[in-house]
Short mmCIF file of all heavy atoms in Angstrom, two decimals:
data_model
loop_
_atom_site.label_atom_id
_atom_site.label_comp_id
_atom_site.label_asym_id
_atom_site.label_seq_id
_atom_site.Cartn_x
_atom_site.Cartn_y
_atom_site.Cartn_z
N LYS A 3 -42.31 -5.38 -16.23
CA LYS A 3 -43.06 -4.92 -15.09
C LYS A 3 -42.48 -3.63 -14.53
O LYS A 3 -43.25 -2.67 -14.22
CB LYS A 3 -43.12 -5.97 -13.97
CG LYS A 3 -43.92 -5.52 -12.79
CD LYS A 3 -44.01 -6.53 -11.71
CE LYS A 3 -44.78 -6.02 -10.52
NZ LYS A 3 -44.91 -7.03 -9.48
N LEU A 4 -41.14 -3.54 -14.42
CA LEU A 4 -40.55 -2.34 -13.89
C LEU A 4 -40.86 -1.15 -14.83
O LEU A 4 -41.21 -0.05 -14.36
CB LEU A 4 -39.03 -2.52 -13.80
CG LEU A 4 -38.27 -1.40 -13.18
CD1 LEU A 4 -38.67 -1.09 -11.76
CD2 LEU A 4 -36.74 -1.73 -13.20
N LEU A 5 -40.80 -1.38 -16.14
CA LEU A 5 -41.09 -0.30 -17.08
C LEU A 5 -42.55 0.17 -16.99
O LEU A 5 -42.83 1.32 -16.89
CB LEU A 5 -40.76 -0.77 -18.48
CG LEU A 5 -41.13 0.21 -19.61
CD1 LEU A 5 -40.25 1.45 -19.51
CD2 LEU A 5 -41.01 -0.42 -20.94
N VAL A 6 -43.47 -0.83 -17.01
CA VAL A 6 -44.88 -0.50 -16.97
C VAL A 6 -45.24 0.18 -15.67
O VAL A 6 -45.90 1.22 -15.67
CB VAL A 6 -45.74 -1.78 -17.21
CG1 VAL A 6 -47.20 -1.48 -16.90
CG2 VAL A 6 -45.57 -2.28 -18.60
N MET A 7 -44.82 -0.40 -14.56
CA MET A 7 -45.17 0.21 -13.26
C MET A 7 -44.52 1.59 -13.08
O MET A 7 -45.15 2.47 -12.51
CB MET A 7 -44.70 -0.72 -12.15
CG MET A 7 -45.46 -2.03 -12.04
SD MET A 7 -47.21 -1.76 -11.66
CE MET A 7 -47.09 -1.21 -10.00
N SER A 8 -43.39 1.80 -13.61
CA SER A 8 -42.71 3.11 -13.55
C SER A 8 -43.52 4.13 -14.34
O SER A 8 -43.71 5.25 -13.87
CB SER A 8 -41.28 3.04 -14.06
OG SER A 8 -40.47 2.22 -13.23
N LEU A 9 -43.94 3.72 -15.52
CA LEU A 9 -44.78 4.66 -16.33
C LEU A 9 -46.12 4.94 -15.70
O LEU A 9 -46.56 6.10 -15.62
CB LEU A 9 -44.96 4.07 -17.70
CG LEU A 9 -43.73 3.96 -18.62
CD1 LEU A 9 -44.03 3.23 -19.90
CD2 LEU A 9 -43.19 5.37 -18.92
N VAL A 10 -46.78 3.93 -15.18
CA VAL A 10 -48.12 4.06 -14.62
C VAL A 10 -48.06 4.93 -13.33
O VAL A 10 -48.98 5.71 -13.07
CB VAL A 10 -48.76 2.68 -14.34
CG1 VAL A 10 -50.02 2.82 -13.49
CG2 VAL A 10 -49.04 2.00 -15.67
N THR A 11 -47.02 4.74 -12.53
CA THR A 11 -46.93 5.44 -11.25
C THR A 11 -46.05 6.73 -11.40
O THR A 11 -45.67 7.32 -10.33
CB THR A 11 -46.32 4.59 -10.19
OG1 THR A 11 -45.00 4.22 -10.50
CG2 THR A 11 -47.15 3.34 -9.94
N PHE A 12 -45.72 7.15 -12.62
CA PHE A 12 -44.90 8.32 -12.86
C PHE A 12 -43.56 8.27 -12.11
O PHE A 12 -43.11 9.25 -11.56
CB PHE A 12 -45.67 9.59 -12.48
CG PHE A 12 -46.94 9.72 -13.25
CD1 PHE A 12 -48.17 9.44 -12.63
CD2 PHE A 12 -46.96 10.12 -14.55
CE1 PHE A 12 -49.38 9.54 -13.34
CE2 PHE A 12 -48.17 10.25 -15.28
CZ PHE A 12 -49.37 9.91 -14.70
N GLY A 13 -42.97 7.09 -12.10
CA GLY A 13 -41.62 6.96 -11.49
C GLY A 13 -41.61 6.56 -10.01
O GLY A 13 -40.52 6.28 -9.49
N LEU A 14 -42.73 6.54 -9.35
CA LEU A 14 -42.73 6.20 -7.98
C LEU A 14 -42.37 4.76 -7.71
O LEU A 14 -41.73 4.45 -6.66
CB LEU A 14 -44.10 6.55 -7.32
CG LEU A 14 -44.47 8.02 -7.23
CD1 LEU A 14 -45.87 8.24 -6.68
CD2 LEU A 14 -43.48 8.79 -6.38
N TYR A 15 -42.75 3.90 -8.62
CA TYR A 15 -42.41 2.48 -8.46
C TYR A 15 -40.92 2.26 -8.47
O TYR A 15 -40.41 1.40 -7.76
CB TYR A 15 -43.10 1.63 -9.51
CG TYR A 15 -42.96 0.13 -9.25
CD1 TYR A 15 -43.68 -0.47 -8.27
CD2 TYR A 15 -42.02 -0.66 -9.93
CE1 TYR A 15 -43.57 -1.81 -7.99
CE2 TYR A 15 -41.84 -1.96 -9.65
CZ TYR A 15 -42.65 -2.56 -8.69
OH TYR A 15 -42.47 -3.88 -8.39
N GLU A 16 -40.20 3.03 -9.30
CA GLU A 16 -38.75 2.92 -9.34
C GLU A 16 -38.16 3.23 -7.93
O GLU A 16 -37.20 2.57 -7.51
CB GLU A 16 -38.15 3.92 -10.34
CG GLU A 16 -38.36 3.48 -11.74
CD GLU A 16 -37.78 4.52 -12.68
OE1 GLU A 16 -36.66 5.06 -12.41
OE2 GLU A 16 -38.42 4.77 -13.71
N ILE A 17 -38.67 4.28 -7.29
CA ILE A 17 -38.22 4.65 -5.95
C ILE A 17 -38.42 3.47 -4.99
O ILE A 17 -37.55 3.07 -4.23
CB ILE A 17 -38.88 5.96 -5.49
CG1 ILE A 17 -38.45 7.08 -6.41
CG2 ILE A 17 -38.52 6.24 -4.04
CD1 ILE A 17 -39.23 8.37 -6.22
N PHE A 18 -39.61 2.89 -5.07
CA PHE A 18 -39.97 1.75 -4.22
C PHE A 18 -39.01 0.58 -4.54
O PHE A 18 -38.52 -0.06 -3.63
CB PHE A 18 -41.39 1.29 -4.46
CG PHE A 18 -41.82 0.04 -3.85
CD1 PHE A 18 -42.02 -0.04 -2.47
CD2 PHE A 18 -41.96 -1.11 -4.60
CE1 PHE A 18 -42.37 -1.26 -1.92
CE2 PHE A 18 -42.28 -2.30 -4.06
CZ PHE A 18 -42.49 -2.38 -2.68
N TRP A 19 -38.73 0.33 -5.82
CA TRP A 19 -37.87 -0.76 -6.24
C TRP A 19 -36.45 -0.57 -5.69
O TRP A 19 -35.83 -1.52 -5.11
CB TRP A 19 -37.83 -0.83 -7.75
CG TRP A 19 -37.04 -1.97 -8.32
CD1 TRP A 19 -37.44 -3.26 -8.40
CD2 TRP A 19 -35.68 -1.87 -8.80
NE1 TRP A 19 -36.38 -4.01 -8.98
CE2 TRP A 19 -35.32 -3.17 -9.24
CE3 TRP A 19 -34.77 -0.83 -8.96
CZ2 TRP A 19 -34.06 -3.47 -9.76
CZ3 TRP A 19 -33.54 -1.13 -9.45
CH2 TRP A 19 -33.21 -2.43 -9.91
N PHE A 20 -35.97 0.64 -5.83
CA PHE A 20 -34.60 0.92 -5.23
C PHE A 20 -34.59 0.66 -3.72
O PHE A 20 -33.68 0.04 -3.24
CB PHE A 20 -34.21 2.38 -5.47
CG PHE A 20 -33.48 2.59 -6.75
CD1 PHE A 20 -34.11 2.92 -7.93
CD2 PHE A 20 -32.09 2.51 -6.79
CE1 PHE A 20 -33.43 3.14 -9.09
CE2 PHE A 20 -31.38 2.71 -7.94
CZ PHE A 20 -32.01 3.01 -9.08
N TYR A 21 -35.57 1.18 -3.07
CA TYR A 21 -35.62 1.04 -1.60
C TYR A 21 -35.66 -0.42 -1.16
O TYR A 21 -34.91 -0.87 -0.35
CB TYR A 21 -36.77 1.85 -0.95
CG TYR A 21 -36.84 1.66 0.49
CD1 TYR A 21 -36.03 2.43 1.31
CD2 TYR A 21 -37.71 0.74 1.14
CE1 TYR A 21 -36.01 2.32 2.71
CE2 TYR A 21 -37.70 0.61 2.48
CZ TYR A 21 -36.85 1.37 3.27
OH TYR A 21 -36.89 1.26 4.63
N LYS A 22 -36.55 -1.21 -1.83
CA LYS A 22 -36.69 -2.62 -1.47
C LYS A 22 -35.38 -3.38 -1.72
O LYS A 22 -35.01 -4.24 -0.94
CB LYS A 22 -37.82 -3.26 -2.27
CG LYS A 22 -39.18 -2.88 -1.77
CD LYS A 22 -39.43 -3.19 -0.33
CE LYS A 22 -39.58 -4.74 -0.11
NZ LYS A 22 -39.85 -5.06 1.27
N ASN A 23 -34.72 -3.07 -2.82
CA ASN A 23 -33.45 -3.72 -3.12
C ASN A 23 -32.41 -3.45 -2.06
O ASN A 23 -31.70 -4.37 -1.58
CB ASN A 23 -32.94 -3.38 -4.51
CG ASN A 23 -33.60 -4.25 -5.56
OD1 ASN A 23 -33.41 -5.45 -5.55
ND2 ASN A 23 -34.31 -3.64 -6.45
N TRP A 24 -32.25 -2.17 -1.71
CA TRP A 24 -31.30 -1.85 -0.68
C TRP A 24 -31.66 -2.42 0.68
O TRP A 24 -30.75 -2.85 1.45
CB TRP A 24 -31.06 -0.32 -0.58
CG TRP A 24 -30.22 0.24 -1.69
CD1 TRP A 24 -30.56 1.15 -2.64
CD2 TRP A 24 -28.88 -0.20 -2.01
NE1 TRP A 24 -29.57 1.36 -3.51
CE2 TRP A 24 -28.47 0.52 -3.17
CE3 TRP A 24 -27.98 -1.07 -1.50
CZ2 TRP A 24 -27.22 0.44 -3.70
CZ3 TRP A 24 -26.71 -1.23 -2.09
CH2 TRP A 24 -26.38 -0.45 -3.22
N GLN A 25 -32.95 -2.47 1.01
CA GLN A 25 -33.41 -3.01 2.26
C GLN A 25 -33.08 -4.49 2.31
O GLN A 25 -32.56 -4.98 3.34
CB GLN A 25 -34.91 -2.80 2.37
CG GLN A 25 -35.50 -3.16 3.68
CD GLN A 25 -37.02 -2.96 3.72
OE1 GLN A 25 -37.70 -3.27 2.75
NE2 GLN A 25 -37.50 -2.35 4.80
N LEU A 26 -33.33 -5.23 1.24
CA LEU A 26 -33.02 -6.67 1.22
C LEU A 26 -31.49 -6.89 1.26
O LEU A 26 -31.04 -7.83 1.90
CB LEU A 26 -33.67 -7.33 -0.01
CG LEU A 26 -35.17 -7.47 0.04
CD1 LEU A 26 -35.71 -7.91 -1.32
CD2 LEU A 26 -35.59 -8.46 1.12
N PHE A 27 -30.75 -6.06 0.56
CA PHE A 27 -29.31 -6.22 0.51
C PHE A 27 -28.75 -6.02 1.95
O PHE A 27 -27.93 -6.77 2.38
CB PHE A 27 -28.73 -5.17 -0.42
CG PHE A 27 -27.22 -5.19 -0.48
CD1 PHE A 27 -26.56 -6.14 -1.25
CD2 PHE A 27 -26.51 -4.28 0.19
CE1 PHE A 27 -25.20 -6.18 -1.31
CE2 PHE A 27 -25.11 -4.31 0.17
CZ PHE A 27 -24.46 -5.28 -0.61
N LYS A 28 -29.23 -5.00 2.61
CA LYS A 28 -28.79 -4.73 3.98
C LYS A 28 -29.10 -5.89 4.90
O LYS A 28 -28.26 -6.35 5.69
CB LYS A 28 -29.43 -3.49 4.54
CG LYS A 28 -29.04 -3.16 5.95
CD LYS A 28 -29.68 -1.88 6.46
CE LYS A 28 -29.21 -1.62 7.92
NZ LYS A 28 -29.68 -0.33 8.37
N ALA A 29 -30.32 -6.44 4.82
CA ALA A 29 -30.75 -7.55 5.67
C ALA A 29 -29.89 -8.79 5.40
O ALA A 29 -29.52 -9.55 6.30
CB ALA A 29 -32.23 -7.86 5.48
N LYS A 30 -29.61 -9.05 4.15
CA LYS A 30 -28.92 -10.27 3.75
C LYS A 30 -27.42 -10.18 4.05
O LYS A 30 -26.80 -11.18 4.43
CB LYS A 30 -29.12 -10.51 2.24
CG LYS A 30 -29.00 -11.93 1.86
CD LYS A 30 -30.06 -12.81 2.44
CE LYS A 30 -30.12 -14.12 1.72
NZ LYS A 30 -30.93 -15.09 2.38
N THR A 31 -26.84 -9.00 3.87
CA THR A 31 -25.38 -8.86 4.07
C THR A 31 -24.97 -8.42 5.45
O THR A 31 -23.85 -8.51 5.86
CB THR A 31 -24.76 -7.91 3.07
OG1 THR A 31 -25.31 -6.58 3.22
CG2 THR A 31 -24.99 -8.41 1.65
N GLY A 32 -25.94 -7.79 6.18
CA GLY A 32 -25.61 -7.26 7.49
C GLY A 32 -24.80 -5.94 7.41
O GLY A 32 -24.26 -5.55 8.42
N SER A 33 -24.77 -5.31 6.29
CA SER A 33 -24.03 -4.10 6.14
C SER A 33 -24.77 -2.95 6.87
O SER A 33 -25.92 -3.07 7.22
CB SER A 33 -23.79 -3.75 4.68
OG SER A 33 -25.00 -3.37 4.11
N ASP A 34 -24.04 -1.88 7.12
CA ASP A 34 -24.67 -0.76 7.89
C ASP A 34 -25.15 0.38 6.96
O ASP A 34 -25.19 1.52 7.35
CB ASP A 34 -23.65 -0.24 8.91
CG ASP A 34 -22.42 0.29 8.27
OD1 ASP A 34 -22.18 0.15 7.07
OD2 ASP A 34 -21.64 0.95 9.03
N ILE A 35 -25.48 0.04 5.69
CA ILE A 35 -25.95 1.10 4.77
C ILE A 35 -27.32 1.53 5.19
O ILE A 35 -28.04 0.87 5.94
CB ILE A 35 -26.02 0.53 3.34
CG1 ILE A 35 -27.04 -0.63 3.24
CG2 ILE A 35 -24.66 0.13 2.83
CD1 ILE A 35 -27.40 -0.96 1.84
N SER A 36 -27.73 2.69 4.72
CA SER A 36 -29.08 3.21 4.93
C SER A 36 -29.86 3.09 3.60
O SER A 36 -29.63 3.87 2.67
CB SER A 36 -29.06 4.66 5.35
OG SER A 36 -30.35 5.21 5.38
N PRO A 37 -30.84 2.16 3.54
CA PRO A 37 -31.64 2.05 2.34
C PRO A 37 -32.37 3.40 2.00
O PRO A 37 -32.48 3.67 0.78
CB PRO A 37 -32.66 0.97 2.65
CG PRO A 37 -31.99 0.12 3.75
CD PRO A 37 -31.18 1.13 4.52
N PHE A 38 -32.77 4.12 2.98
CA PHE A 38 -33.47 5.33 2.70
C PHE A 38 -32.56 6.33 1.96
O PHE A 38 -32.88 6.91 0.92
CB PHE A 38 -33.93 5.98 4.02
CG PHE A 38 -34.54 7.36 3.81
CD1 PHE A 38 -35.82 7.53 3.32
CD2 PHE A 38 -33.77 8.51 4.11
CE1 PHE A 38 -36.37 8.81 3.15
CE2 PHE A 38 -34.31 9.76 3.89
CZ PHE A 38 -35.61 9.92 3.43
N TRP A 39 -31.33 6.57 2.49
CA TRP A 39 -30.43 7.51 1.87
C TRP A 39 -29.86 7.01 0.52
O TRP A 39 -29.65 7.81 -0.38
CB TRP A 39 -29.30 7.90 2.82
CG TRP A 39 -29.81 8.72 3.95
CD1 TRP A 39 -29.82 8.41 5.29
CD2 TRP A 39 -30.42 10.04 3.85
NE1 TRP A 39 -30.43 9.37 5.98
CE2 TRP A 39 -30.77 10.42 5.15
CE3 TRP A 39 -30.69 10.88 2.82
CZ2 TRP A 39 -31.39 11.63 5.40
CZ3 TRP A 39 -31.32 12.11 3.08
CH2 TRP A 39 -31.67 12.45 4.36
N ARG A 40 -29.71 5.71 0.38
CA ARG A 40 -29.30 5.14 -0.89
C ARG A 40 -30.40 5.31 -1.92
O ARG A 40 -30.08 5.50 -3.13
CB ARG A 40 -28.96 3.68 -0.78
CG ARG A 40 -27.77 3.45 0.12
CD ARG A 40 -26.59 2.96 -0.67
NE ARG A 40 -25.42 2.91 0.17
CZ ARG A 40 -24.36 2.17 -0.09
NH1 ARG A 40 -24.39 1.48 -1.15
NH2 ARG A 40 -23.35 2.21 0.72
N THR A 41 -31.61 5.35 -1.48
CA THR A 41 -32.73 5.62 -2.41
C THR A 41 -32.86 7.08 -2.75
O THR A 41 -33.02 7.45 -3.90
CB THR A 41 -34.05 5.08 -1.81
OG1 THR A 41 -33.90 3.68 -1.54
CG2 THR A 41 -35.21 5.33 -2.74
N VAL A 42 -32.72 7.92 -1.74
CA VAL A 42 -32.77 9.37 -2.00
C VAL A 42 -31.66 9.78 -2.98
O VAL A 42 -31.94 10.59 -3.91
CB VAL A 42 -32.63 10.13 -0.67
CG1 VAL A 42 -32.38 11.63 -0.95
CG2 VAL A 42 -33.84 9.93 0.22
N PHE A 43 -30.49 9.27 -2.80
CA PHE A 43 -29.37 9.59 -3.71
C PHE A 43 -29.11 8.49 -4.72
O PHE A 43 -27.97 8.16 -5.03
CB PHE A 43 -28.11 9.87 -2.86
CG PHE A 43 -28.28 11.04 -1.97
CD1 PHE A 43 -28.40 10.94 -0.61
CD2 PHE A 43 -28.31 12.37 -2.50
CE1 PHE A 43 -28.57 12.05 0.23
CE2 PHE A 43 -28.46 13.49 -1.69
CZ PHE A 43 -28.58 13.30 -0.32
N ARG A 44 -30.17 7.89 -5.25
CA ARG A 44 -30.06 6.72 -6.13
C ARG A 44 -29.26 7.04 -7.40
O ARG A 44 -28.61 6.13 -7.89
CB ARG A 44 -31.46 6.23 -6.48
CG ARG A 44 -32.33 7.14 -7.21
CD ARG A 44 -33.77 6.56 -7.29
NE ARG A 44 -34.67 7.58 -7.78
CZ ARG A 44 -35.23 8.58 -7.06
NH1 ARG A 44 -34.95 8.64 -5.75
NH2 ARG A 44 -36.03 9.43 -7.55
#
């Protein structure tokens, strides 16, 4: 799914995937990371 969605969306889905993972990681661990900046500098 990651491969297909990445191809169909020209890589935009990968950016979404990175952001969602960092967002969930932050919520679950309580760390003070920035999902936005971790995605920008993925």
Side-chain angles (χ1 to χ4, degrees):
K3 179 180 178 180
L4 184 61
L5 176 67
V6 170
M7 292 297 290
S8 294
L9 291 173
V10 170
T11 64
F12 302 103
L14 293 177
Y15 189 77
E16 285 178 42
I17 295 169
F18 170 76
W19 182 82
F20 269 92
Y21 181 79
K22 287 301 289 181
N23 275 299
W24 283 122
Q25 186 181 44
L26 289 169
F27 179 80
K28 179 180 180 172
K30 205 67 166 168
T31 63
S33 68
D34 63 350
I35 65 166
S36 170
F38 174 79
W39 290 115
R40 294 251 171 157
T41 301
V42 169
F43 296 108
R44 63 191 169 278

